[in-house]
Amino acid sequence: MDDAHHVARDERLNERVDERTDIYAMGVILYEVLTLQKVFEAGHVLALLLKVTESKPVLPSLRTPDRAIPRELEEICLKALEKQQEMRYQSAKEMAHDLELFLDGRQDDGTAAPTSAFACFAALRRRALFWA
């Protein structure tokens, strides 16, 4: 059942599978890093498939309020997890661009991102290195 957590809605519904399907999987992994929880939980595979197909993920910041997840990083994660392919990042390069802006402490308009966002992500990166 663990693999079922990472499969996109479009793949389950036999829709067109492309790079955006992989972006969904990256969004799942990012969600798990941010929250230390699965995007969707269910007692059996069919219930999990239904949740992935029909339900919206709970905001990472609401799921784990004690982790102080930066809004900008949460938005990147949720965009990658969009149900409709057209609403997701259209390429890994596009997602990487937003992640680079976040890591550099900038926003798309060139202004500085909140310091706390950068500090929080740096802490997450240190934890990720620790977990490896």
PDB file of all heavy atoms in Angstrom, residues 51-84:
ATOM      1  N   LYS A  51      -9.380   8.628  -1.624  1.00  0.00           N
ATOM      2  CA  LYS A  51      -8.905   9.892  -1.061  1.00  0.00           C
ATOM      3  C   LYS A  51      -7.972  10.612  -2.034  1.00  0.00           C
ATOM      4  O   LYS A  51      -8.080  11.818  -2.226  1.00  0.00           O
ATOM      5  CB  LYS A  51      -8.196   9.663   0.267  1.00  0.00           C
ATOM      6  CG  LYS A  51      -9.133   9.425   1.411  1.00  0.00           C
ATOM      7  CD  LYS A  51      -8.381   9.332   2.720  1.00  0.00           C
ATOM      8  CE  LYS A  51      -9.343   9.224   3.870  1.00  0.00           C
ATOM      9  NZ  LYS A  51      -8.664   9.293   5.164  1.00  0.00           N
ATOM     10  N   VAL A  52      -7.052   9.878  -2.627  1.00  0.00           N
ATOM     11  CA  VAL A  52      -6.112  10.494  -3.573  1.00  0.00           C
ATOM     12  C   VAL A  52      -6.866  11.063  -4.763  1.00  0.00           C
ATOM     13  O   VAL A  52      -6.533  12.133  -5.276  1.00  0.00           O
ATOM     14  CB  VAL A  52      -5.040   9.478  -4.032  1.00  0.00           C
ATOM     15  CG1 VAL A  52      -4.226  10.017  -5.194  1.00  0.00           C
ATOM     16  CG2 VAL A  52      -4.137   9.110  -2.869  1.00  0.00           C
ATOM     17  N   THR A  53      -7.900  10.373  -5.207  1.00  0.00           N
ATOM     18  CA  THR A  53      -8.663  10.795  -6.376  1.00  0.00           C
ATOM     19  C   THR A  53      -9.593  11.960  -6.073  1.00  0.00           C
ATOM     20  O   THR A  53      -9.730  12.871  -6.886  1.00  0.00           O
ATOM     21  CB  THR A  53      -9.484   9.602  -6.917  1.00  0.00           C
ATOM     22  OG1 THR A  53      -8.588   8.520  -7.171  1.00  0.00           O
ATOM     23  CG2 THR A  53     -10.194   9.962  -8.203  1.00  0.00           C
ATOM     24  N   GLU A  54     -10.207  11.974  -4.893  1.00  0.00           N
ATOM     25  CA  GLU A  54     -11.280  12.928  -4.613  1.00  0.00           C
ATOM     26  C   GLU A  54     -10.968  14.009  -3.574  1.00  0.00           C
ATOM     27  O   GLU A  54     -11.527  15.090  -3.644  1.00  0.00           O
ATOM     28  CB  GLU A  54     -12.525  12.159  -4.156  1.00  0.00           C
ATOM     29  CG  GLU A  54     -13.030  11.138  -5.161  1.00  0.00           C
ATOM     30  CD  GLU A  54     -13.493  11.755  -6.472  1.00  0.00           C
ATOM     31  OE1 GLU A  54     -14.012  12.887  -6.451  1.00  0.00           O
ATOM     32  OE2 GLU A  54     -13.347  11.092  -7.508  1.00  0.00           O
ATOM     33  N   SER A  55     -10.126  13.724  -2.607  1.00  0.00           N
ATOM     34  CA  SER A  55      -9.929  14.640  -1.475  1.00  0.00           C
ATOM     35  C   SER A  55      -8.797  15.624  -1.704  1.00  0.00           C
ATOM     36  O   SER A  55      -7.826  15.314  -2.381  1.00  0.00           O
ATOM     37  CB  SER A  55      -9.644  13.842  -0.203  1.00  0.00           C
ATOM     38  OG  SER A  55     -10.692  12.973   0.091  1.00  0.00           O
ATOM     39  N   LYS A  56      -8.927  16.783  -1.078  1.00  0.00           N
ATOM     40  CA  LYS A  56      -7.848  17.762  -1.076  1.00  0.00           C
ATOM     41  C   LYS A  56      -6.962  17.478   0.135  1.00  0.00           C
ATOM     42  O   LYS A  56      -7.470  17.125   1.196  1.00  0.00           O
ATOM     43  CB  LYS A  56      -8.403  19.183  -0.975  1.00  0.00           C
ATOM     44  CG  LYS A  56      -9.139  19.636  -2.225  1.00  0.00           C
ATOM     45  CD  LYS A  56      -9.500  21.094  -2.129  1.00  0.00           C
ATOM     46  CE  LYS A  56      -8.393  21.889  -2.632  1.00  0.00           C
ATOM     47  NZ  LYS A  56      -8.364  22.717  -3.702  1.00  0.00           N
ATOM     48  N   PRO A  57      -5.655  17.647  -0.020  1.00  0.00           N
ATOM     49  CA  PRO A  57      -4.797  17.436   1.151  1.00  0.00           C
ATOM     50  C   PRO A  57      -5.010  18.522   2.204  1.00  0.00           C
ATOM     51  O   PRO A  57      -5.316  19.667   1.877  1.00  0.00           O
ATOM     52  CB  PRO A  57      -3.374  17.520   0.577  1.00  0.00           C
ATOM     53  CG  PRO A  57      -3.492  18.057  -0.787  1.00  0.00           C
ATOM     54  CD  PRO A  57      -4.913  17.967  -1.226  1.00  0.00           C
ATOM     55  N   VAL A  58      -4.854  18.143   3.441  1.00  0.00           N
ATOM     56  CA  VAL A  58      -4.898  19.107   4.540  1.00  0.00           C
ATOM     57  C   VAL A  58      -3.634  19.960   4.427  1.00  0.00           C
ATOM     58  O   VAL A  58      -2.550  19.448   4.130  1.00  0.00           O
ATOM     59  CB  VAL A  58      -4.936  18.377   5.904  1.00  0.00           C
ATOM     60  CG1 VAL A  58      -4.851  19.359   7.055  1.00  0.00           C
ATOM     61  CG2 VAL A  58      -6.181  17.513   6.004  1.00  0.00           C
ATOM     62  N   LEU A  59      -3.765  21.263   4.640  1.00  0.00           N
ATOM     63  CA  LEU A  59      -2.596  22.133   4.579  1.00  0.00           C
ATOM     64  C   LEU A  59      -1.524  21.600   5.518  1.00  0.00           C
ATOM     65  O   LEU A  59      -1.814  21.268   6.669  1.00  0.00           O
ATOM     66  CB  LEU A  59      -2.957  23.553   5.002  1.00  0.00           C
ATOM     67  CG  LEU A  59      -3.923  24.324   4.115  1.00  0.00           C
ATOM     68  CD1 LEU A  59      -4.302  25.642   4.781  1.00  0.00           C
ATOM     69  CD2 LEU A  59      -3.326  24.562   2.758  1.00  0.00           C
ATOM     70  N   PRO A  60      -0.278  21.506   5.046  1.00  0.00           N
ATOM     71  CA  PRO A  60       0.785  21.025   5.928  1.00  0.00           C
ATOM     72  C   PRO A  60       0.873  21.813   7.234  1.00  0.00           C
ATOM     73  O   PRO A  60       1.092  21.242   8.298  1.00  0.00           O
ATOM     74  CB  PRO A  60       2.051  21.197   5.080  1.00  0.00           C
ATOM     75  CG  PRO A  60       1.567  21.070   3.665  1.00  0.00           C
ATOM     76  CD  PRO A  60       0.205  21.723   3.681  1.00  0.00           C
ATOM     77  N   SER A  61       0.675  23.117   7.166  1.00  0.00           N
ATOM     78  CA  SER A  61       0.763  23.950   8.371  1.00  0.00           C
ATOM     79  C   SER A  61      -0.361  23.647   9.363  1.00  0.00           C
ATOM     80  O   SER A  61      -0.181  23.813  10.571  1.00  0.00           O
ATOM     81  CB  SER A  61       0.744  25.430   8.000  1.00  0.00           C
ATOM     82  OG  SER A  61      -0.445  25.747   7.312  1.00  0.00           O
ATOM     83  N   LEU A  62      -1.500  23.176   8.876  1.00  0.00           N
ATOM     84  CA  LEU A  62      -2.594  22.787   9.766  1.00  0.00           C
ATOM     85  C   LEU A  62      -2.391  21.375  10.297  1.00  0.00           C
ATOM     86  O   LEU A  62      -2.792  21.056  11.412  1.00  0.00           O
ATOM     87  CB  LEU A  62      -3.942  22.882   9.050  1.00  0.00           C
ATOM     88  CG  LEU A  62      -4.402  24.282   8.671  1.00  0.00           C
ATOM     89  CD1 LEU A  62      -5.718  24.223   7.915  1.00  0.00           C
ATOM     90  CD2 LEU A  62      -4.521  25.168   9.899  1.00  0.00           C
ATOM     91  N   ARG A  63      -1.788  20.550   9.478  1.00  0.00           N
ATOM     92  CA  ARG A  63      -1.554  19.156   9.859  1.00  0.00           C
ATOM     93  C   ARG A  63      -0.537  19.053  10.990  1.00  0.00           C
ATOM     94  O   ARG A  63      -0.662  18.215  11.878  1.00  0.00           O
ATOM     95  CB  ARG A  63      -1.084  18.393   8.623  1.00  0.00           C
ATOM     96  CG  ARG A  63      -0.986  16.905   8.763  1.00  0.00           C
ATOM     97  CD  ARG A  63      -2.278  16.255   8.274  1.00  0.00           C
ATOM     98  NE  ARG A  63      -2.240  14.836   8.429  1.00  0.00           N
ATOM     99  CZ  ARG A  63      -1.971  13.988   7.440  1.00  0.00           C
ATOM    100  NH1 ARG A  63      -1.724  14.417   6.236  1.00  0.00           N
ATOM    101  NH2 ARG A  63      -1.960  12.701   7.682  1.00  0.00           N
ATOM    102  N   THR A  64       0.466  19.928  10.940  1.00  0.00           N
ATOM    103  CA  THR A  64       1.516  19.919  11.966  1.00  0.00           C
ATOM    104  C   THR A  64       1.851  21.356  12.354  1.00  0.00           C
ATOM    105  O   THR A  64       2.899  21.888  11.972  1.00  0.00           O
ATOM    106  CB  THR A  64       2.778  19.204  11.447  1.00  0.00           C
ATOM    107  OG1 THR A  64       3.164  19.782  10.209  1.00  0.00           O
ATOM    108  CG2 THR A  64       2.568  17.727  11.274  1.00  0.00           C
ATOM    109  N   PRO A  65       0.974  22.009  13.111  1.00  0.00           N
ATOM    110  CA  PRO A  65       1.175  23.417  13.440  1.00  0.00           C
ATOM    111  C   PRO A  65       2.447  23.688  14.247  1.00  0.00           C
ATOM    112  O   PRO A  65       2.994  24.788  14.210  1.00  0.00           O
ATOM    113  CB  PRO A  65      -0.079  23.777  14.248  1.00  0.00           C
ATOM    114  CG  PRO A  65      -0.675  22.496  14.658  1.00  0.00           C
ATOM    115  CD  PRO A  65      -0.236  21.454  13.692  1.00  0.00           C
ATOM    116  N   ASP A  66       2.968  22.690  14.931  1.00  0.00           N
ATOM    117  CA  ASP A  66       4.176  22.857  15.730  1.00  0.00           C
ATOM    118  C   ASP A  66       5.451  22.950  14.886  1.00  0.00           C
ATOM    119  O   ASP A  66       6.502  23.312  15.399  1.00  0.00           O
ATOM    120  CB  ASP A  66       4.303  21.701  16.729  1.00  0.00           C
ATOM    121  CG  ASP A  66       4.312  20.344  16.046  1.00  0.00           C
ATOM    122  OD1 ASP A  66       3.485  20.131  15.135  1.00  0.00           O
ATOM    123  OD2 ASP A  66       5.139  19.491  16.425  1.00  0.00           O
ATOM    124  N   ARG A  67       5.374  22.671  13.587  1.00  0.00           N
ATOM    125  CA  ARG A  67       6.570  22.667  12.733  1.00  0.00           C
ATOM    126  C   ARG A  67       6.853  24.012  12.066  1.00  0.00           C
ATOM    127  O   ARG A  67       7.875  24.170  11.427  1.00  0.00           O
ATOM    128  CB  ARG A  67       6.458  21.563  11.692  1.00  0.00           C
ATOM    129  CG  ARG A  67       6.523  20.189  12.332  1.00  0.00           C
ATOM    130  CD  ARG A  67       6.610  19.085  11.330  1.00  0.00           C
ATOM    131  NE  ARG A  67       7.767  19.172  10.493  1.00  0.00           N
ATOM    132  CZ  ARG A  67       8.927  18.549  10.698  1.00  0.00           C
ATOM    133  NH1 ARG A  67       9.065  17.797  11.758  1.00  0.00           N
ATOM    134  NH2 ARG A  67       9.922  18.670   9.858  1.00  0.00           N
ATOM    135  N   ALA A  68       5.966  24.984  12.152  1.00  0.00           N
ATOM    136  CA  ALA A  68       6.171  26.325  11.582  1.00  0.00           C
ATOM    137  C   ALA A  68       6.593  26.253  10.110  1.00  0.00           C
ATOM    138  O   ALA A  68       7.643  26.748   9.718  1.00  0.00           O
ATOM    139  CB  ALA A  68       7.205  27.105  12.402  1.00  0.00           C
ATOM    140  N   ILE A  69       5.759  25.646   9.302  1.00  0.00           N
ATOM    141  CA  ILE A  69       6.051  25.481   7.875  1.00  0.00           C
ATOM    142  C   ILE A  69       5.847  26.812   7.161  1.00  0.00           C
ATOM    143  O   ILE A  69       4.779  27.415   7.262  1.00  0.00           O
ATOM    144  CB  ILE A  69       5.159  24.376   7.272  1.00  0.00           C
ATOM    145  CG1 ILE A  69       5.478  23.042   7.957  1.00  0.00           C
ATOM    146  CG2 ILE A  69       5.333  24.292   5.760  1.00  0.00           C
ATOM    147  CD1 ILE A  69       4.473  21.957   7.696  1.00  0.00           C
ATOM    148  N   PRO A  70       6.844  27.271   6.426  1.00  0.00           N
ATOM    149  CA  PRO A  70       6.727  28.546   5.708  1.00  0.00           C
ATOM    150  C   PRO A  70       5.618  28.499   4.656  1.00  0.00           C
ATOM    151  O   PRO A  70       5.470  27.506   3.949  1.00  0.00           O
ATOM    152  CB  PRO A  70       8.090  28.717   5.042  1.00  0.00           C
ATOM    153  CG  PRO A  70       9.001  27.806   5.762  1.00  0.00           C
ATOM    154  CD  PRO A  70       8.172  26.678   6.267  1.00  0.00           C
ATOM    155  N   ARG A  71       4.856  29.569   4.573  1.00  0.00           N
ATOM    156  CA  ARG A  71       3.744  29.648   3.620  1.00  0.00           C
ATOM    157  C   ARG A  71       4.223  29.417   2.190  1.00  0.00           C
ATOM    158  O   ARG A  71       3.583  28.711   1.411  1.00  0.00           O
ATOM    159  CB  ARG A  71       3.061  31.016   3.741  1.00  0.00           C
ATOM    160  CG  ARG A  71       1.877  31.203   2.805  1.00  0.00           C
ATOM    161  CD  ARG A  71       1.299  32.601   2.876  1.00  0.00           C
ATOM    162  NE  ARG A  71       2.283  33.657   2.734  1.00  0.00           N
ATOM    163  CZ  ARG A  71       2.796  34.054   1.552  1.00  0.00           C
ATOM    164  NH1 ARG A  71       2.403  33.497   0.438  1.00  0.00           N
ATOM    165  NH2 ARG A  71       3.691  35.023   1.504  1.00  0.00           N
ATOM    166  N   GLU A  72       5.362  30.012   1.829  1.00  0.00           N
ATOM    167  CA  GLU A  72       5.873  29.885   0.452  1.00  0.00           C
ATOM    168  C   GLU A  72       6.177  28.427   0.107  1.00  0.00           C
ATOM    169  O   GLU A  72       5.883  27.970  -0.994  1.00  0.00           O
ATOM    170  CB  GLU A  72       7.138  30.735   0.259  1.00  0.00           C
ATOM    171  CG  GLU A  72       6.915  32.212   0.420  1.00  0.00           C
ATOM    172  CD  GLU A  72       7.003  32.693   1.862  1.00  0.00           C
ATOM    173  OE1 GLU A  72       7.184  31.865   2.781  1.00  0.00           O
ATOM    174  OE2 GLU A  72       6.880  33.914   2.077  1.00  0.00           O
ATOM    175  N   LEU A  73       6.765  27.703   1.042  1.00  0.00           N
ATOM    176  CA  LEU A  73       7.093  26.303   0.801  1.00  0.00           C
ATOM    177  C   LEU A  73       5.828  25.450   0.753  1.00  0.00           C
ATOM    178  O   LEU A  73       5.707  24.535  -0.061  1.00  0.00           O
ATOM    179  CB  LEU A  73       8.058  25.806   1.875  1.00  0.00           C
ATOM    180  CG  LEU A  73       8.732  24.469   1.628  1.00  0.00           C
ATOM    181  CD1 LEU A  73       9.441  24.434   0.278  1.00  0.00           C
ATOM    182  CD2 LEU A  73       9.705  24.161   2.749  1.00  0.00           C
ATOM    183  N   GLU A  74       4.862  25.784   1.590  1.00  0.00           N
ATOM    184  CA  GLU A  74       3.574  25.093   1.582  1.00  0.00           C
ATOM    185  C   GLU A  74       2.883  25.282   0.227  1.00  0.00           C
ATOM    186  O   GLU A  74       2.321  24.339  -0.333  1.00  0.00           O
ATOM    187  CB  GLU A  74       2.714  25.640   2.714  1.00  0.00           C
ATOM    188  CG  GLU A  74       1.376  24.969   2.858  1.00  0.00           C
ATOM    189  CD  GLU A  74       0.651  25.450   4.100  1.00  0.00           C
ATOM    190  OE1 GLU A  74       0.251  26.630   4.132  1.00  0.00           O
ATOM    191  OE2 GLU A  74       0.481  24.640   5.022  1.00  0.00           O
ATOM    192  N   GLU A  75       2.939  26.493  -0.321  1.00  0.00           N
ATOM    193  CA  GLU A  75       2.322  26.759  -1.627  1.00  0.00           C
ATOM    194  C   GLU A  75       2.982  25.952  -2.736  1.00  0.00           C
ATOM    195  O   GLU A  75       2.311  25.434  -3.630  1.00  0.00           O
ATOM    196  CB  GLU A  75       2.401  28.250  -1.943  1.00  0.00           C
ATOM    197  CG  GLU A  75       1.465  29.088  -1.088  1.00  0.00           C
ATOM    198  CD  GLU A  75       1.657  30.588  -1.279  1.00  0.00           C
ATOM    199  OE1 GLU A  75       2.504  31.004  -2.099  1.00  0.00           O
ATOM    200  OE2 GLU A  75       0.954  31.344  -0.582  1.00  0.00           O
ATOM    201  N   ILE A  76       4.298  25.823  -2.682  1.00  0.00           N
ATOM    202  CA  ILE A  76       5.016  25.008  -3.675  1.00  0.00           C
ATOM    203  C   ILE A  76       4.545  23.559  -3.579  1.00  0.00           C
ATOM    204  O   ILE A  76       4.232  22.916  -4.586  1.00  0.00           O
ATOM    205  CB  ILE A  76       6.537  25.112  -3.458  1.00  0.00           C
ATOM    206  CG1 ILE A  76       7.029  26.520  -3.797  1.00  0.00           C
ATOM    207  CG2 ILE A  76       7.283  24.059  -4.290  1.00  0.00           C
ATOM    208  CD1 ILE A  76       8.453  26.817  -3.359  1.00  0.00           C
ATOM    209  N   CYS A  77       4.464  23.059  -2.374  1.00  0.00           N
ATOM    210  CA  CYS A  77       4.033  21.681  -2.141  1.00  0.00           C
ATOM    211  C   CYS A  77       2.620  21.447  -2.663  1.00  0.00           C
ATOM    212  O   CYS A  77       2.364  20.483  -3.392  1.00  0.00           O
ATOM    213  CB  CYS A  77       4.111  21.382  -0.643  1.00  0.00           C
ATOM    214  SG  CYS A  77       3.567  19.734  -0.177  1.00  0.00           S
ATOM    215  N   LEU A  78       1.705  22.343  -2.309  1.00  0.00           N
ATOM    216  CA  LEU A  78       0.309  22.163  -2.711  1.00  0.00           C
ATOM    217  C   LEU A  78       0.109  22.305  -4.216  1.00  0.00           C
ATOM    218  O   LEU A  78      -0.738  21.624  -4.795  1.00  0.00           O
ATOM    219  CB  LEU A  78      -0.582  23.132  -1.942  1.00  0.00           C
ATOM    220  CG  LEU A  78      -0.654  22.862  -0.436  1.00  0.00           C
ATOM    221  CD1 LEU A  78      -1.469  23.944   0.261  1.00  0.00           C
ATOM    222  CD2 LEU A  78      -1.219  21.480  -0.138  1.00  0.00           C
ATOM    223  N   LYS A  79       0.895  23.160  -4.853  1.00  0.00           N
ATOM    224  CA  LYS A  79       0.798  23.282  -6.311  1.00  0.00           C
ATOM    225  C   LYS A  79       1.233  21.977  -6.977  1.00  0.00           C
ATOM    226  O   LYS A  79       0.627  21.532  -7.950  1.00  0.00           O
ATOM    227  CB  LYS A  79       1.630  24.455  -6.826  1.00  0.00           C
ATOM    228  CG  LYS A  79       1.478  24.679  -8.314  1.00  0.00           C
ATOM    229  CD  LYS A  79       2.125  25.961  -8.771  1.00  0.00           C
ATOM    230  CE  LYS A  79       1.932  26.133 -10.272  1.00  0.00           C
ATOM    231  NZ  LYS A  79       2.458  27.412 -10.739  1.00  0.00           N
ATOM    232  N   ALA A  80       2.251  21.344  -6.432  1.00  0.00           N
ATOM    233  CA  ALA A  80       2.701  20.052  -6.972  1.00  0.00           C
ATOM    234  C   ALA A  80       1.656  18.961  -6.750  1.00  0.00           C
ATOM    235  O   ALA A  80       1.584  18.007  -7.529  1.00  0.00           O
ATOM    236  CB  ALA A  80       4.029  19.653  -6.346  1.00  0.00           C
ATOM    237  N   LEU A  81       0.830  19.110  -5.726  1.00  0.00           N
ATOM    238  CA  LEU A  81      -0.182  18.102  -5.391  1.00  0.00           C
ATOM    239  C   LEU A  81      -1.555  18.363  -6.014  1.00  0.00           C
ATOM    240  O   LEU A  81      -2.515  17.656  -5.700  1.00  0.00           O
ATOM    241  CB  LEU A  81      -0.353  18.031  -3.865  1.00  0.00           C
ATOM    242  CG  LEU A  81       0.792  17.399  -3.089  1.00  0.00           C
ATOM    243  CD1 LEU A  81       0.571  17.568  -1.593  1.00  0.00           C
ATOM    244  CD2 LEU A  81       0.957  15.935  -3.452  1.00  0.00           C
ATOM    245  N   GLU A  82      -1.668  19.336  -6.870  1.00  0.00           N
ATOM    246  CA  GLU A  82      -2.970  19.637  -7.498  1.00  0.00           C
ATOM    247  C   GLU A  82      -3.525  18.398  -8.188  1.00  0.00           C
ATOM    248  O   GLU A  82      -2.790  17.632  -8.820  1.00  0.00           O
ATOM    249  CB  GLU A  82      -2.823  20.762  -8.521  1.00  0.00           C
ATOM    250  CG  GLU A  82      -2.723  22.126  -7.909  1.00  0.00           C
ATOM    251  CD  GLU A  82      -4.042  22.648  -7.358  1.00  0.00           C
ATOM    252  OE1 GLU A  82      -5.103  22.070  -7.646  1.00  0.00           O
ATOM    253  OE2 GLU A  82      -3.982  23.647  -6.622  1.00  0.00           O
ATOM    254  N   LYS A  83      -4.835  18.204  -8.078  1.00  0.00           N
ATOM    255  CA  LYS A  83      -5.493  17.044  -8.704  1.00  0.00           C
ATOM    256  C   LYS A  83      -5.423  17.118 -10.232  1.00  0.00           C
ATOM    257  O   LYS A  83      -5.160  16.126 -10.896  1.00  0.00           O
ATOM    258  CB  LYS A  83      -6.963  16.963  -8.281  1.00  0.00           C
ATOM    259  CG  LYS A  83      -7.170  16.810  -6.802  1.00  0.00           C
ATOM    260  CD  LYS A  83      -6.815  15.435  -6.339  1.00  0.00           C
ATOM    261  CE  LYS A  83      -7.121  15.302  -4.857  1.00  0.00           C
ATOM    262  NZ  LYS A  83      -6.232  14.379  -4.202  1.00  0.00           N
ATOM    263  N   GLN A  84      -5.688  18.291 -10.765  1.00  0.00           N
ATOM    264  CA  GLN A  84      -5.693  18.470 -12.221  1.00  0.00           C
ATOM    265  C   GLN A  84      -4.277  18.782 -12.702  1.00  0.00           C
ATOM    266  O   GLN A  84      -3.642  19.702 -12.202  1.00  0.00           O
ATOM    267  CB  GLN A  84      -6.636  19.609 -12.611  1.00  0.00           C
ATOM    268  CG  GLN A  84      -8.072  19.403 -12.183  1.00  0.00           C
ATOM    269  CD  GLN A  84      -8.699  18.162 -12.794  1.00  0.00           C
ATOM    270  OE1 GLN A  84      -8.477  17.852 -13.957  1.00  0.00           O
ATOM    271  NE2 GLN A  84      -9.470  17.445 -12.003  1.00  0.00           N
TER     272      GLN A  84
END
